[in-house]
Amino acid sequence: MTDSLSIRDNRTGKDYEVAITDGTIRAADLKQIALDGDPGLATYDPGFVNTASCRSAVTYIDGDAGILEYRGYPIEQLAEKSSFLEVSYLLLNGELPTSSQLSTWTHDVTTHTFLHENLKQFIQGFRYDAHPMGMLMASVSALSTFYPDASNISDADNRQLQITRLIAKMPTLGAFAYRHGLGKPYVYPDNDLSYVENFLAMLFKMSEPKYAADERLVKALDVLFILHADHEQNCSANAVRSVGSSQVDPYSAIAAGIGALYGPLHGGANEAVLRMLRRIGTTDNVSDFIAGVKSGKEKLMGFGHRVYKNYDPRAQIIKKACDDVFEVTGVNPLLKIARELEKIALEDDYFVSRKLYPNVDFYSGLIYEALEFPPEMFTVLFAIGRTPGWLAQWSELVQDKEQKIARPKQIYTGFRTREFIPMSDR
Ligand code: CMC
């Protein structure tokens, strides 16, 4: 068997042969299929539903089988046996760290958690009701002005320094944005604490000299960060890569990823799920709500995925984490509605025939709420967890010799070459 595709252009009767590599053809190879004077054949693919934009060795997903692996390690094993900083190291470096590599990495991240005081003032400038995702996006982008050296993206040591800074400072920025909304004083990082404990301390500490978080809650949040750490070429990773392809500094590229994540079809879905569950109110209203979804009036938020046509493996793990968290915090009453929605949807032909299953966002919001986060903070938590994945994707992009500045084609549907009409004649 030859790994090639034979194409006949029925407009001209000409035959072409195009190489197939790794199950793909090169879109540029189609350019040779051209009518006289025409730029050649292109593909039309809104939303990149069947177009590979890069080669990547970071994350593997088999959506039909419900498999997710980071650098070849199944998500279930990482969630059970690893920690978020260890998984971050794995995503960024390709291998699990040795014990000394992990302590150096943990030390490096821990010693970069503080923000420049001017950045604190920048955050203070937001209105009292500013959405924390808007604050996070703006302050990450502002970081690029504090570290102008970050524009030197061709230097590996320099890239590593910015990566460490970003992973270290995201929880501080997220916590400051949260405290700003409450009008509470910002809590500075405590470098004696672990990554997650320090984040919880910056969020919730009041006058106590040392913040002590419940170990089970620390573990649950660490697992949630692991589950969110990467998801191959999703909307925000694509935004990071697209903006990064202009060779801008990583803070600007990650700010673009945060913007993409903010949307309700992406990371904003967990916030939307919680609002949806509150609106449904009681299990008695579930069947009416499902009828509304089936008639196209609204969406069942937290269901469906571009890639998973099976149960999202992250949702399975989160369901288990829910039980652990509720053991500490008491059961969230919305859980009953979520379980009823899931039960009905998994049996209903509308959802079954479209292969719509719960995704990562369906249960994560319930945990976040049990941990006393307001819904506006949910996507911030997602962003903190996703930062190592964005940076691994960005790092891979900037070292990939095949990558070019992102610049899709269009099919132009507008007017051509019109004569300008003076204002008096319009
Ligand atoms: N509720 C009701 N119908 C749905 C839903 C849903 N949540 N998701 C998809 N459908 C229907 C859709 O209307 C379409 O039906 P039809 O064929 O009759 O037109 C069919 O299923 C295929 O959907 P699609 O919109 O073509 O699928 P997509 O791959 O473009 O969109 C999605 C994927 C995640 C944007 C979509 O499923 C959705 O909007 N889900 C709700 C939002 C959500 O939970 N997002 C979080 C995604 S996971 C976290 C992350 O990675 O960010």
Side-chain angles (χ1 to χ4, degrees), residues 347-413:
E347 286 165 359
D348 190 296
D349 188 55
Y350 175 93
F351 299 91
V352 174
S353 63
R354 289 171 177 76
K355 299 192 175 161
L356 300 172
Y357 291 87
N359 60 48
V360 67
D361 291 318
F362 193 66
Y363 284 106
S364 61
L366 290 175
I367 300 192
Y368 294 149
E369 198 189 48
L371 295 174
E372 297 184 2
F373 288 106
E376 311 79 69
M377 276 299 286
F378 295 178
T379 318
V380 171
L381 300 170
F382 192 154
I384 295 171
R386 183 54 59 87
T387 302
W390 285 331
L391 289 166
Q393 300 283 344
W394 170 78
S395 243
E396 194 173 57
L397 166 97
V398 297
Q399 293 176 78
D400 181 349
K401 301 251 178 309
E402 244 193 351
Q403 285 295 329
K404 290 174 170 297
I405 186 164
R407 203 326 181 171
K409 285 180 88 76
Q410 65 168 6
I411 301 172
Y412 180 66
T413 59

Side-chain angles (χ1 to χ4, degrees), residues 231 264-267 269 293 298-306 309 314 350-351 354 356 359-361 382:
H231 214 229
L265 296 189
H266 192 11
V293 171
E298 53 194 322
K299 274 192 168 171
L300 174 50
M301 298 310 285
F303 258 66
H305 201 275
R306 170 64 58 78
K309 301 302 168 197
R314 302 169 299 174
Y350 175 93
F351 299 91
R354 289 171 177 76
L356 300 172
N359 60 48
V360 67
D361 291 318
F382 192 154

Side-chain angles (χ1 to χ4, degrees), residues 202-346:
M202 290 188 290
L203 290 164
F204 300 127
K205 185 169 176 296
M206 290 308 290
S207 59
E208 64 273 40
K210 199 91 187 159
Y211 183 81
D214 187 302
E215 253 176 56
R216 290 165 295 180
L217 301 185
V218 172
K219 174 72 190 151
L221 196 52
D222 198 68
V223 167
L224 282 162
F225 283 162
I226 292 174
L227 298 183
H228 286 91
D230 195 47
H231 214 229
E232 52 119 304
Q233 305 315 312
N234 55 85
C235 178
S236 55
N238 182 60
V240 169
R241 279 182 174 265
S242 186
V243 171
S245 75
S246 72
Q247 299 188 352
V248 74
D249 68 87
Y251 300 101
S252 304
I254 299 302
I258 296 172
L261 191 74
Y262 194 0
L265 296 189
H266 192 11
N270 50 22
E271 182 178 343
V273 168
L274 207 87
R275 296 195 193 285
M276 172 188 79
L277 294 175
R278 288 217 180 107
R279 195 155 48 83
I280 296 173
T282 78
T283 46
D284 296 343
N285 298 332
V286 166
S287 43
D288 279 356
F289 178 81
I290 292 277
V293 171
K294 286 163 65 174
S295 67
K297 265 205 330 234
E298 53 194 322
K299 274 192 168 171
L300 174 50
M301 298 310 285
F303 258 66
H305 201 275
R306 170 64 58 78
V307 179
Y308 294 119
K309 301 302 168 197
N310 197 326
Y311 217 100
D312 179 338
R314 302 169 299 174
Q316 297 274 29
I317 301 168
I318 287 189
K319 241 173 131 173
K320 156 84 182 59
C322 264
D323 296 335
D324 298 345
V325 169
F326 294 157
E327 211 183 284
V328 185
T329 63
V331 175
N332 186 327
L334 297 177
L335 181 68
K336 255 175 102 179
I337 303 173
R339 295 225 157 116
E340 184 66 12
L341 268 174
E342 179 182 345
K343 186 170 148 274
I344 296 185
L346 291 179

Side-chain angles (χ1 to χ4, degrees), residues 82-265:
S82 190
S83 70
F84 176 63
L85 280 189
E86 190 179 30
V87 166
S88 304
Y89 184 99
L90 170 70
L91 285 166
L92 289 158
N93 299 286
E95 294 296 341
L96 287 167
T98 61
S99 142
S100 78
Q101 284 167 332
L102 183 59
S103 35
T104 306
W105 168 235
T106 306
H107 172 266
D108 289 350
V109 169
T110 309
T111 49
H112 280 94
T113 47
F114 276 74
L115 302 177
H116 192 290
E117 283 293 293
N118 288 1
L119 195 63
K120 192 179 91 179
Q121 280 156 26
F122 174 76
I123 295 174
Q124 263 159 351
F126 282 95
R127 262 178 62 135
Y128 67 97
D129 58 352
H131 196 292
M133 274 300 273
M135 295 168 73
L136 186 70
M137 179 165 40
S139 43
V140 167
S141 131
L143 279 176
S144 76
T145 67
F146 289 84
Y147 303 114
D149 56 320
S151 62
N152 183 11
I153 62 162
S154 55
D155 182 83
D157 292 342
N158 191 292
R159 285 200 302 271
Q160 183 56 41
L161 175 60
Q162 313 313 330
I163 286 171
T164 309
R165 281 177 172 153
L166 262 161
I167 291 179
K169 293 180 199 311
M170 284 292 279
T172 317
L173 291 171
F176 280 21
Y178 170 71
R179 304 274 298 203
H180 178 80
L182 298 174
K184 289 185 178 168
Y186 305 154
V187 175
Y188 287 116
D190 180 343
N191 289 352
D192 291 339
L193 299 177
S194 73
Y195 190 82
V196 170
E197 283 170 330
N198 175 45
F199 178 47
L200 290 171
M202 290 188 290
L203 290 164
F204 300 127
K205 185 169 176 296
M206 290 308 290
S207 59
E208 64 273 40
K210 199 91 187 159
Y211 183 81
D214 187 302
E215 253 176 56
R216 290 165 295 180
L217 301 185
V218 172
K219 174 72 190 151
L221 196 52
D222 198 68
V223 167
L224 282 162
F225 283 162
I226 292 174
L227 298 183
H228 286 91
D230 195 47
H231 214 229
E232 52 119 304
Q233 305 315 312
N234 55 85
C235 178
S236 55
N238 182 60
V240 169
R241 279 182 174 265
S242 186
V243 171
S245 75
S246 72
Q247 299 188 352
V248 74
D249 68 87
Y251 300 101
S252 304
I254 299 302
I258 296 172
L261 191 74
Y262 194 0
L265 296 189

